[in-house]
Amino acid sequence: MLLPHEFTLGDFISSLTIENRPFKIGRDGKFQDEGQSVLHHAMYSQNPVIYALMSFTENIREGNQVWMLFQILNRVRANRFSEEEQHLFKRVISILLVVLPFEKVLAVFIALRRSRANRKRVRKTVLSYIFNHPEIRFLALQQRKTIVDCIEHAAGKNVARACAKYVKELDSGSNDKTKSNYLNRHLLCFAENHEQAKRVLGFLYQKETRPAVMPEREISSRPDYRHLFEPKIETPKTVTATNRGDIAATLVHIYRGGATSTLMEALADFVADEASTTLPFEGKLAVILDASTSTQGYGEREFCIISQSVALLQVLEVCCQNLQVYIAGGDGTPPRPMGPSDLATPLLEALESKPDLVVIISDGYENSFAGDLKDVVAYLPQADIRIPVVFCHSKFTGKDDLSLRNPLPQKLQIEFWHQNDFNSILFQLFAMAGGWYRTDWLQSVLTDRLNNIEKEIPTWMSLT
Amino acid sequence: MDVTHLVPETLPLPELDLTGYGFGQPQSSGAMTMLPLFSSDSHDQFVPPLSGLKLSKVEGYGNVELYNPSDSGIAIVPLHIGYIQDQAQNHALCRTAFISAGQKLMFRDACCVQESQGGYLEGREQWFFILPLPLRENALALRGTEGYSKLWSDISILNNQFGYQDRGHLEQIIGGQRSYLTQYQNRFELLPRQTGALFFDREKLIGVEIAPNPDYFKELWMGLLCFCYGVEAMYQERHLSVENSAQTKFSAASLDQLKVQLQERRKEKLKDIAEMLIYTSDENFQMEEEERFLSLRLYTITGERFVGQIVKDGERLVYASVFAKGRYLRKPVT
């Protein structure tokens, strides 16, 4: 596994969509999975705003959102960010609190306690969450002790217990304004529904073993928001040469010998349609297209690999005007598979133009000069060449075995077989090309996602 | 592609005069290296083996008739060609032969390679393969011998090596492992105008395959690479440790220097190939003439480590399929 300092932005994005490590902290404040803790700590430090926004990366695993919620709550200090940035953090936190399961959020609150993170934002977040949660009456029954721990950490043990005592007294007919004000100031100010908050607090601190407050209703199924982070795509059950997306299907027909004007026009339209779903990227890309003989394939799969590779290339070309293509093998337009797969030579040519990123689109068979690509890429840091190189595996189906076609085993691999994959690939490539510090494009895309997700979730949790 | 500068100084085997052939960049995958060959002569009168050579009929087990449907082209039957069809017993031939335009030729020394399947091959849906490398020495030795089951014991041994039931049923390998074997063709790339190839198992030459023209080699390629050499590669990868020799790492201080070092390293690799050839260049072959067709001569050549068949037109080499003998094939290079 890579060490945190070796993680590029692209590696981190991959890790967000692949890894799903549990978030567990011991009583000593140490995380069970220290590696993941160190990684998220390091990634937050690179660019806290982008880090926070990346919790809406397409296909992000839930576990990562938990780690990210913790980092943001634990480390964001109001005085270090502009008002606009602070507002953004609040929106991110609010969304994460709604979409993550209750017990995972409580785990974060407990971790904040064990890390001794107690600031105004933490207090407000914890108390707002607990007292405004729509299912709190049921959840309080299940997690009573943990919730009390969280409230006492956020409000302070004495304050919380005083509040509970005052609730009981006020409930018994006391009309003490001082106590009422105290309660409002320290606790009820975070709750939309004061009466419910008082009932919950009263229930949490009651001494009887049998709960005096029963849930109003059992929760039959908790709302699940995972679909908000997954692309809305349909995948064919049986993969054929022509159901891997419209662009590749059209290219297959063209390669088979049907380069009619109708097909060529349709191809341009399909490419434009696909490209329109991604914001234009201003950076500079170099793309190496492997059009060597092996990309032709055979039998029913003939021309499938080269077609999907060319499809991705054509969409990239529309989205990124400053893009230079280097072709390994191939002949004609679109390049017809031909010749050996020398990927190292075009890589060296591509690097000379000093792009922001080099993208290699290949079937992974480095038949000629095997090992050269790996060695050239491994050499780059020695010459202080920091341009990221990413290998994009063009496959026939999602289940292709890549064990014998992996010329850059130590480097980030992006796999694709269907046009459905393009959107997330472009996101990852353009994010990598910008890096952690030239983030205009990334920030725009992620803010769009944040806006869209915000529209899809209930509004009970708002810190803004 | 300019291949003239790639011609190694040493030719592989003295009886195979490769003067006039150019060599492409070697391609490697796993244990296997393939060195592409290009001929400056084009023997266009020879028809390719898929489109120009048809299975006509099977007349009882072990008797296979082939047909050359062309108007004028001569067919050289690829050595150890086999035909596969559903619902019929697959057969392979033990030898090569000439078939003139319009001629049908019955091979009464063909062998059945599918013990547990009945039915006769018909002239439909023809799909051919070349016998797996480990079977070829004995298959060639059985040329001229009638008896459809004569290769079953060798096939059983091969099946056993792969851990399959030991019966004369080659389908267990070439059908059961079809996915691995057909994908094997992606690991080596047939180059434009390629007319032949030398195959190496690590440092050891294990096969010389030469076709009369690029179209012939192109049609031969899949059956040869996937099922002849691919089966051997599959065995090596599954049963023996395959480690590629480490290459020199780069020490350049700039991209320009790196380019130079990369080219130097590639030349080194060619030198390594040349050394591999030197290692096998002292083979003495016995040549046995099998057949004549006008000025063409078909020979079986037998050496200590290699055996195979070649076709010559005068002094010029037209076709060759020469391969490592069984004992040498699995013997480590010393």
Side-chain angles (χ1 to χ4, degrees):
Chain A
M1 186 177 162
L2 294 172
L3 295 170
H5 71 270
E6 294 170 323
F7 260 71
T8 64
L9 183 55
D11 291 316
F12 185 53
I13 293 171
S14 267
S15 135
L16 289 179
T17 58
I18 295 166
E19 300 289 346
N20 200 20
R21 308 280 185 95
F23 179 90
K24 283 185 184 165
I25 190 166
R27 294 199 175 279
D28 56 0
K30 288 189 177 163
F31 284 99
Q32 218 172 60
D33 190 338
E34 206 187 336
Q36 197 68 359
S37 166
V38 171
L39 172 66
H40 277 274
H41 190 279
M43 296 297 108
Y44 172 93
S45 304
Q46 292 281 3
N47 186 332
V49 172
I50 291 295
Y51 173 84
L53 281 170
M54 282 173 68
S55 31
F56 309 122
T57 300
E58 198 167 84
N59 281 324
I60 188 167
R61 306 294 296 270
E62 187 179 88
N64 284 304
Q65 289 178 319
V66 180
W67 285 98
M68 293 169 101
L69 177 64
F70 173 76
Q71 281 297 323
I72 300 163
L73 284 172
N74 192 30
R75 295 182 65 194
V76 170
R77 305 281 194 275
N79 57 0
R80 294 187 193 167
F81 297 97
S82 68
E83 275 191 26
E84 198 185 336
E85 288 170 335
Q86 286 186 54
H87 184 70
L88 198 71
F89 283 125
K90 286 177 187 170
R91 292 172 66 199
V92 171
I93 293 167
S94 299
I95 293 177
L96 289 176
L97 289 172
V98 172
V99 301
L100 288 172
F102 186 75
E103 61 276 12
K104 302 259 167 85
V105 173
L106 283 198
V108 171
F109 291 167
I110 293 295
L112 288 168
R113 180 185 168 195
R114 289 180 187 163
S115 308
R116 301 180 190 282
N118 194 349
R119 283 178 298 284
K120 199 173 153 191
R121 183 191 308 285
V122 172
R123 180 163 70 246
K124 185 177 177 185
T125 303
V126 173
L127 298 176
S128 300
Y129 180 78
I130 290 173
F131 289 114
N132 294 315
H133 198 290
E135 312 293 350
I136 189 63
R137 299 189 62 166
F138 176 69
L139 296 166
L141 193 66
Q142 290 189 322
Q143 307 262 2
R144 189 167 144 189
K145 190 172 177 318
T146 311
I147 296 173
V148 168
D149 281 352
C150 293
I151 294 174
E152 291 190 350
H153 165 241
K157 189 187 278 185
N158 292 338
V159 172
R161 289 181 180 184
C163 286
K165 189 178 158 203
Y166 294 162
V167 164
K168 202 174 177 185
E169 288 175 12
L170 291 167
D171 238 14
S172 316
S174 165
N175 202 14
D176 188 334
K177 283 280 174 204
T178 322
K179 289 176 180 171
S180 178
N181 287 342
Y182 184 90
L183 197 57
N184 276 337
R185 198 168 63 246
H186 287 98
L187 243 165
L188 298 183
C189 62
F190 301 110
E192 288 287 323
N193 182 339
H194 288 197
E195 287 312 308
Q196 174 172 284
K198 282 195 274 187
R199 278 203 300 280
V200 169
L201 194 68
F203 165 73
L204 290 169
Y205 278 90
Q206 70 188 325
K207 289 183 178 153
E208 296 85 356
T209 39
R210 278 180 67 84
V213 179
M214 292 302 288
E216 285 170 345
R217 60 187 170 88
E218 293 271 336
I219 302 167
S220 54
S221 63
R222 290 190 190 175
D224 185 351
Y225 299 102
R226 294 316 305 164
H227 66 278
L228 297 174
F229 306 97
E230 289 158 6
K232 296 179 185 70
I233 53 172
E234 282 180 33
T235 305
K237 280 183 186 162
T238 305
V239 180
T240 69
T242 52
N243 67 2
R244 303 155 71 243
D246 288 332
I247 306 175
T250 312
L251 279 162
V252 165
H253 289 301
I254 291 170
Y255 275 118
R256 284 175 180 171
T260 61
S261 57
T262 313
L263 280 179
M264 298 307 277
E265 283 165 23
L267 176 64
D269 290 344
F270 288 138
V271 170
D273 278 355
E274 180 62 40
S276 68
T277 62
T278 298
L279 287 178
F281 179 68
E282 305 268 317
K284 183 178 180 181
L285 290 193
V287 179
I288 297 165
L289 177 76
D290 178 1
S292 60
T293 306
S294 64
T295 62
Q296 179 163 331
Y298 51 88
E300 291 172 359
R301 300 181 177 196
E302 191 172 30
F303 299 118
C304 287
I305 298 291
I306 186 68
S307 292
Q308 204 60 276
S309 299
V310 171
L312 177 60
L313 172 65
Q314 293 196 349
V315 174
L316 278 167
E317 283 179 307
V318 175
C319 292
C320 175
Q321 296 295 309
N322 194 356
L323 180 146
Q324 181 72 43
V325 184
Y326 302 82
I327 298 184
D331 184 38
T333 310
R336 202 170 183 81
M338 185 178 284
S341 50
D342 176 8
L343 297 173
T345 304
L347 172 62
L348 289 175
E349 287 172 28
L351 289 168
E352 279 181 343
S353 67
K354 296 193 169 52
D356 297 321
L357 175 73
V358 180
V359 181
I360 303 171
I361 304 175
S362 166
D363 62 351
Y365 289 111
E366 190 193 19
N367 304 318
S368 310
F369 318 110
D372 281 2
L373 181 67
K374 185 177 74 167
D375 289 348
V376 166
V377 171
Y379 152 85
L380 298 179
Q382 287 176 40
D384 205 26
I385 296 168
R386 305 287 167 190
I387 298 166
V389 176
V390 62
F391 196 91
C392 294
H393 266 289
S394 184
K395 307 192 299 184
F396 178 67
T397 72
K399 292 177 181 166
D400 283 12
D401 179 4
L402 299 180
S403 53
L404 291 167
R405 39 191 279 209
N406 189 2
L408 277 182
Q410 303 302 321
K411 282 285 178 183
L412 173 65
Q413 315 276 319
I414 296 177
E415 298 171 18
F416 66 102
W417 68 274
H418 195 289
Q419 194 174 319
N420 289 339
D421 299 326
F422 287 8
N423 208 274
S424 58
I425 291 178
L426 263 53
F427 171 79
Q428 197 164 356
L429 295 181
F430 294 159
M432 285 181 77
W436 282 107
Y437 303 106
R438 285 186 297 127
T439 54
D440 291 355
W441 185 88
L442 192 52
Q443 188 153 348
S444 300
V445 171
L446 290 170
T447 308
D448 275 357
R449 284 184 63 75
L450 181 144
N451 294 338
N452 291 334
I453 290 169
E454 226 165 25
K455 287 178 202 156
E456 300 283 325
I457 59 168
T459 55
W460 58 265
M461 182 69 221
S462 174
L463 295 168
T464 55
Chain B
M1 180 181 181
D2 177 17
V3 294
T4 50
H5 66 288
L6 299 173
V7 180
E9 290 166 6
T10 315
L11 298 175
L13 302 161
E15 275 71 11
L16 298 178
D17 182 2
L18 297 181
T19 309
Y21 281 84
F23 290 68
Q25 272 289 350
Q27 299 177 21
S28 296
S29 179
M32 200 76 80
T33 294
M34 186 273 292
L35 183 66
L37 286 177
F38 302 86
S39 172
S40 52
D41 291 338
S42 187
H43 305 283
D44 294 332
Q45 69 271 38
F46 297 98
V47 296
L50 184 64
S51 53
L53 189 61
K54 300 295 174 193
L55 172 72
S56 171
K57 64 177 177 182
V58 173
E59 198 177 272
Y61 294 125
N63 303 303
V64 171
E65 186 179 83
L66 297 187
Y67 170 52
N68 173 1
S70 71
D71 294 333
S72 59
I74 306 157
I76 296 176
V77 179
L79 182 55
H80 298 143
I81 192 170
Y83 288 93
I84 292 178
Q85 280 181 338
D86 287 340
Q87 308 301 319
Q89 212 172 39
N90 300 332
H91 277 72
L93 305 185
C94 294
R95 59 185 168 90
T96 183
F98 301 117
I99 306 180
S100 67
Q103 183 194 349
K104 288 180 178 173
L105 182 64
M106 178 62 76
F107 291 80
R108 298 209 178 273
D109 57 350
C111 42
C112 166
V113 294
Q114 202 177 10
E115 183 179 352
S116 309
Q117 173 72 50
Y120 294 139
L121 287 166
E122 299 167 10
R124 61 183 164 86
E125 293 173 35
Q126 298 195 356
W127 192 92
F128 78 79
F129 65 97
I130 302 296
L131 279 177
L133 190 54
L135 296 176
R136 296 188 82 184
E137 179 189 0
N138 284 353
L140 182 62
L142 290 167
R143 70 190 185 284
T145 305
E146 293 186 16
Y148 62 91
S149 62
K150 57 183 177 282
L151 203 59
W152 285 359
S153 59
D154 292 295
I155 297 171
S156 291
I157 292 168
L158 187 64
N159 275 327
N160 196 264
Q161 288 175 351
F162 277 100
Y164 303 136
Q165 192 181 346
D166 49 354
R167 52 185 180 150
H169 199 65
L170 194 56
E171 183 69 9
Q172 290 182 132
I173 295 170
I174 59 177
Q177 299 302 313
R178 178 80 62 89
S179 162
Y180 174 99
L181 295 172
T182 51
Q183 281 186 36
Y184 194 69
Q185 73 166 321
N186 283 335
R187 295 166 62 182
F188 293 92
E189 282 163 340
L190 178 71
L191 300 179
R193 306 292 305 161
Q194 186 173 344
T195 50
L198 304 185
F199 290 93
F200 297 85
D201 167 12
R202 280 156 280 216
E203 297 83 21
K204 185 167 64 178
L205 181 71
I206 56 170
V208 179
E209 305 288 345
I210 290 170
N213 54 57
D215 288 343
Y216 188 110
F217 196 68
K218 191 176 178 183
E219 290 194 357
L220 178 65
W221 176 247
M222 184 176 173
L224 181 72
L225 178 74
C226 300
F227 300 99
C228 174
Y229 292 95
V231 168
E232 177 61 15
M234 183 167 71
Y235 177 80
Q236 299 268 349
E237 286 173 9
R238 292 184 179 175
H239 298 89
L240 306 170
S241 71
V242 174
E243 284 179 22
N244 289 326
S245 53
Q247 300 197 76
T248 323
K249 298 290 174 202
F250 300 117
S251 58
S254 67
L255 275 182
D256 285 339
Q257 282 186 20
L258 181 62
K259 275 185 178 175
V260 174
Q261 287 190 358
L262 182 64
Q263 291 311 319
E264 282 172 357
R265 198 171 86 164
R266 289 177 174 181
K267 282 182 192 161
E268 284 294 316
K269 173 106 183 171
L270 276 177
K271 272 191 197 165
D272 291 345
I273 294 277
E275 280 171 19
M276 294 182 203
L277 295 175
I278 291 168
Y279 177 77
T280 37
S281 64
D282 59 348
E283 184 88 343
N284 290 316
F285 284 111
Q286 287 184 339
M287 295 180 70
E288 181 185 347
E289 187 179 311
E290 302 275 359
E291 207 177 321
R292 293 187 178 200
F293 188 100
L294 302 177
S295 58
L296 298 170
R297 301 285 183 275
L298 166 62
Y299 299 99
T300 296
I301 64 171
T302 309
E304 193 183 331
R305 293 165 293 180
F306 295 90
V307 67
Q309 291 194 316
I310 62 173
V311 173
K312 284 186 147 187
D313 187 356
E315 286 306 303
R316 289 186 310 155
L317 192 62
V318 174
Y319 170 88
S321 187
V322 179
F323 40 84
K325 288 176 157 180
R327 271 182 305 173
Y328 180 60
L329 186 61
R330 298 281 163 80
K331 185 183 164 193
V333 173
T334 51

